[in-house]
Amino acid sequence: MIKGIGAAAGVAIGKAFVLPNWEWSMPETQVNPVDLAKEFERLYEGIRTSKDEIEFIKKEFREVVGPEESSIFDAHLAILDDPVFMSEIRGIIERQYKAAEVAVKEAIDHFVAMFDLLDDEYMKERAVDIKDVGNRLLKHLLGAPEVTLPSDTKPYILVAKELSPSQLAHLNPNYVLGIITMMGGKTSHSSIMARALGIPLVAGLENKLQTPIQTGDFLIIDGDNGNLIMNPDKATAEHYSVVRDRQREKREQLELLSSVEAMTKDRVRMRLASNISSVKELDMALKYGAEGVGLFRTEFLYMDRKTFPTEEEQYEVYKLVAEKVGEHSVVIRTLDIGGDKHLDYFQLPEEQNPFLGYRAIRICLDQKEMFKTQLTAILRASVHGNIKMMFPMISSIEEVREAKAVLEEVKQDLDRQGIPYDRKLPVGIMIEVPAAVMIADFLAEEVDFFSIGTNDLVQYVLAVDRMNEQIAHLYHPYHPAVLRMIRTTVESAKAAGIGVSVCGELAGDERSLPLWLELGVNDLSMSPQALLRVKHRTLNTTASEAREVAKQCFRNREITESEKQLTQFLDKHIIQHVMKGDA
Ligand code: PEP
Ligand code: MG
């Protein structure tokens, strides 16, 4: 057995298909100085074609997997506009009279070698991106065919030195049982994409194989534990096929829970809604039995386009979502850009600390016409279903009042035009900034509900950038400071008699359930993939027992204590089920 990194869960068993590396022969000849202009024209044409191709892949991928994963291709587009990368290429053509493809190849090699020298996973990933984009550009300059994956064979386990996001985007999940890469790790883009596609992946096997894998070798990969077994004996193959079948059955069993109500053994009812950013994601959420949408991240409607979406375009999407959700509610969050989310056509300032900068409600209150367009579309759609509105990143009473004043203006405009809307449309705020927690009692008097955004709350409470992999080990959702912030928020909401739910990633972590049971939070919103897991967990939990564990968690002083206890509590349940034979 060879140990790598388990980057996407699941067991896969099958024959290997080894992906050849992209290697092309380069023209040797120097360019005549009088032809330099022609060489630049070829380069720019190659860049234009590459950009069109990346836009196309991004669109396809967005539809199949989702907007967050497809944003990987924004990084690729940015490389083709990167002044440092481009001036390196231009310099080689201009000063050394080399052909465009040779210049591109040398620039790729230069940057990749530079990033590889750094002992930093994040920079190594950027090297993979540069290689991916650079190879695409090379392909166009050389007129070479792309290496494609076979689709006319039996399903296989794909083996590659490294797999670029572009290659993964073209991959047909029906043919690929699993993936092995020599490079990469859990956070590499290809791993993120494999997880989203549900394909097991073991990464980081460079220098660990005594003999290289050949196409046709029989392999087993275990993406949960990062194991690779080459040409296994019969007993091992049988053992893993039992594990694989059991995993498959479990997934299918979980799917049977789609229409079951989430209720603990002692009959505490939880309402599990979904976070969505597109209609496609809503369809998946509904398939898994989501009870409405607890967070509609509308910023994704604004992305991948050249201009702001019109009121009509937004109205159509909000209406469709409300209609599809039916009797349940849809919480539409107003535009939350800035931080890590950008719009190509809206110039955000260069900032030292974008997460502390021009973001979310701050932008909306500054760009009132844009804000009003969205509010109008939401209000108009509100007659087609059960819509609620929510403002992100609130940190003061003034912001809430100002946002509500804009909403009032929009309502008056609609009244003047005789356009109907839900006059009782509930208005809430996200609690994701520590200041909002500390004045939650005041804020609760101004709004109809709170939704706790733990992703940002954790980053702001602990001063740990949620995007920075170097400090990812300091990002602790179960830190006592975070738990206290959550408790204060819930208590303030309850004292004021308004609703409170949780929509950050923590809600989709089934270990957190005891906390919500103890606090009396019955509404959670999570990614569609988490719904069935959390439901299964709820059905197998006794609230009275869980509350005891949670009580202890709220007393813990150390950073990791609560996470440990909640994990143990979950494991204990799993062991009980295994012993009863229904795990
Ligand atoms: C959050 O911050 O927890 C949240 C749900 O919003 P987002 O992840 O979109 O910032
Ligand atoms: Mg947030």
Side-chain angles (χ1 to χ4, degrees):
M1 184 150 66
I2 303 151
K3 190 102 194 126
I5 300 165
V11 165
I13 305 172
K15 295 227 167 124
F17 173 80
V18 181
L19 190 70
N21 287 329
W22 273 0
E23 294 290 353
W24 297 305
S25 54
M26 293 289 153
E28 293 290 333
T29 47
Q30 293 286 105
V31 174
N32 190 326
V34 293
D35 289 334
L36 279 187
K38 221 161 61 192
E39 221 45 39
F40 277 116
E41 194 34 55
R42 286 183 61 230
L43 173 69
Y44 297 136
E45 179 58 32
I47 292 174
R48 275 193 294 274
T49 319
S50 301
K51 280 187 175 172
D52 289 348
E53 203 172 57
I54 296 171
E55 289 283 6
F56 181 75
I57 299 173
K58 183 176 149 191
K59 188 163 165 287
E60 269 188 339
F61 201 77
R62 185 191 159 97
E63 279 163 19
V64 179
V65 179
E68 295 207 40
E69 286 77 12
S70 74
S71 64
I72 287 166
F73 296 102
D74 288 330
H76 287 197
L77 290 168
I79 292 171
L80 289 174
D81 283 326
D82 186 89
V84 181
F85 184 56
M86 285 303 142
S87 84
E88 175 81 15
I89 298 174
R90 276 196 300 268
I92 298 172
I93 300 177
E94 213 161 45
R95 286 190 290 277
Q96 302 177 29
Y97 306 126
K98 289 191 173 168
E101 48 271 58
V102 179
V104 169
K105 177 83 172 72
E106 288 185 10
I108 300 173
D109 291 347
H110 169 72
F111 284 103
V112 168
M114 199 166 81
F115 285 174
D116 270 348
L117 273 183
L118 304 171
D119 191 19
D120 178 326
E121 274 309 308
Y122 180 79
M123 296 315 277
K124 285 193 199 304
E125 268 308 304
R126 302 293 70 75
V128 175
D129 286 339
I130 290 185
K131 240 191 273 182
D132 192 357
V133 175
N135 279 335
R136 179 175 303 287
L137 185 51
L138 273 182
K139 181 187 81 173
H140 290 301
L141 289 168
L142 289 163
E146 194 161 348
V147 176
T148 50
L149 302 169
S151 59
D152 53 354
T153 59
K154 286 207 173 131
Y156 50 85
I157 293 180
L158 182 64
V159 181
K161 186 163 192 324
E162 58 195 4
L163 209 52
S164 65
S166 312
Q167 286 169 312
L168 248 164
H170 280 307
L171 178 154
N172 182 345
N174 293 332
Y175 287 102
V176 181
L177 300 167
I179 301 172
I180 294 174
T181 60
M182 300 306 127
M183 319 300 283
K186 273 193 180 144
T187 56
S188 64
H189 285 151
S190 45
S191 303
I192 295 169
M193 287 165 75
R195 284 200 289 275
L197 291 164
I199 303 175
L201 189 153
V202 173
L205 287 164
E206 179 86 332
N207 301 328
K208 300 207 175 140
L209 302 178
Q210 277 163 359
T211 46
I213 302 172
Q214 310 279 347
T215 291
D217 280 348
F218 187 52
L219 306 177
I220 296 178
I221 65 170
D222 171 1
D224 299 79
N225 300 303
N227 296 333
L228 161 69
I229 302 164
M230 287 173 72
N231 300 316
D233 57 35
K234 196 158 168 264
T236 311
E238 271 172 15
H239 165 73
Y240 276 98
S241 66
V242 171
V243 176
R244 182 199 53 194
D245 293 348
R246 205 182 277 161
Q247 282 178 349
R248 208 176 276 163
E249 261 170 45
K250 191 160 176 204
R251 243 196 336 266
E252 283 164 10
Q253 265 175 11
L254 277 182
E255 285 187 23
L256 294 178
L257 297 179
S258 300
S259 53
V260 173
E261 284 189 345
M263 178 140 22
T264 64
K265 285 178 167 174
D266 42 355
R267 305 195 66 73
V268 178
R269 174 83 162 88
M270 299 296 291
R271 274 177 304 273
L272 308 184
S274 186
N275 297 345
I276 63 160
S277 35
S278 65
V279 177
K280 209 143 208 132
E281 238 179 328
L282 173 62
D283 290 339
M284 197 191 297
L286 293 176
K287 181 172 148 222
Y288 296 151
E291 295 181 271
V293 170
L295 168 65
F296 183 2
R297 291 184 163 104
T298 57
E299 47 280 5
F300 289 98
L301 293 181
Y302 289 69
M303 292 177 176
D304 287 343
R305 11 179 335 129
K306 305 257 179 294
T307 52
F308 282 107
T310 62
E311 178 192 311
E312 205 53 31
E313 282 171 320
Q314 295 190 56
Y315 162 74
E316 288 297 336
V317 176
Y318 304 149
K319 171 171 175 265
L320 181 64
V321 170
E323 284 174 347
K324 279 185 176 241
V325 167
E327 50 161 338
H328 295 297
S329 59
V330 178
V331 180
I332 301 183
R333 174 174 76 184
T334 58
L335 186 61
D336 183 12
I337 48 164
D340 61 323
K341 299 176 198 146
H342 296 271
L343 305 179
D344 294 343
Y345 51 88
F346 180 68
Q347 274 305 322
L348 287 167
E350 279 288 322
E351 294 177 302
Q352 292 275 0
N353 292 304
F355 273 115
L356 303 182
Y358 194 55
R359 222 200 125 178
I361 195 71
R362 298 172 182 180
I363 296 182
C364 289
L365 294 178
D366 190 44
Q367 307 274 335
K368 292 226 171 76
E369 283 315 305
M370 176 196 76
F371 191 35
K372 280 183 170 176
T373 304
Q374 182 174 36
L375 299 188
T376 310
I378 298 172
L379 281 173
R380 282 179 55 207
S382 67
V383 294
H384 300 286
N386 190 355
I387 289 182
K388 299 179 182 178
M389 182 186 294
M390 172 160 84
F391 303 126
M393 220 205 163
I394 291 292
S395 60
S396 68
I397 286 278
E398 285 80 354
E399 276 169 347
V400 179
R401 290 186 181 155
E402 201 180 336
K404 283 174 68 180
V406 179
L407 181 63
E408 210 39 53
E409 276 177 47
V410 173
K411 285 184 177 174
Q412 284 169 11
D413 276 350
L414 289 176
D415 283 339
R416 268 193 295 276
Q417 296 169 67
I419 298 173
Y421 58 88
D422 176 3
R423 291 181 178 275
K424 295 212 176 79
L425 178 119
V427 176
I429 55 173
M430 290 199 67
I431 301 288
E432 48 185 351
V433 177
V437 176
M438 300 315 288
I439 57 166
D441 50 344
F442 299 154
L443 290 169
E445 291 178 12
E446 311 274 330
V447 295
D448 300 310
F449 65 93
F450 286 162
S451 183
I452 306 178
T454 55
N455 305 341
D456 277 312
L457 187 60
V458 173
Q459 88 162 339
Y460 293 132
V461 170
L462 303 182
V464 174
D465 180 347
R466 65 193 259 193
M467 302 296 290
N468 187 338
E469 292 174 45
Q470 206 162 9
I471 48 167
H473 62 287
L474 300 177
Y475 187 93
H476 287 291
Y478 295 99
H479 188 298
V482 177
L483 298 190
R484 284 185 167 192
M485 288 268 166
I486 293 172
R487 185 171 60 186
T488 303
T489 307
V490 175
E491 284 170 356
S492 300
K494 292 208 176 268
I498 64 166
V500 55
S501 63
V502 183
C503 67
E505 286 297 303
L506 191 60
D509 176 351
E510 67 260 52
R511 294 174 302 176
S512 68
L513 181 66
L515 302 176
W516 318 127
L517 291 167
E518 168 63 7
L519 293 172
V521 173
N522 300 86
D523 287 286
L524 303 177
S525 189
M526 59 200 70
S527 72
Q529 286 82 1
L531 282 165
L532 292 175
R533 258 191 301 109
V534 175
K535 189 181 284 188
H536 181 257
R537 166 75 169 143
T538 308
L539 291 166
N540 289 295
T541 295
T542 306
S544 58
E545 277 174 33
R547 287 191 190 114
E548 291 310 310
V549 181
K551 280 196 182 80
Q552 178 55 45
C553 291
F554 285 108
R555 287 196 291 267
N556 287 332
R557 295 170 181 219
E558 292 80 14
I559 299 174
T560 54
E561 241 1 71
S562 298
E563 185 170 2
K564 264 192 230 149
Q565 287 164 2
L566 290 164
T567 309
Q568 265 169 15
F569 183 63
L570 176 69
D571 289 347
K572 197 177 94 194
H573 273 253
I574 291 175
I575 290 165
Q576 281 169 0
H577 284 290
V578 171
M579 285 168 60
K580 284 196 321 197
D582 60 356

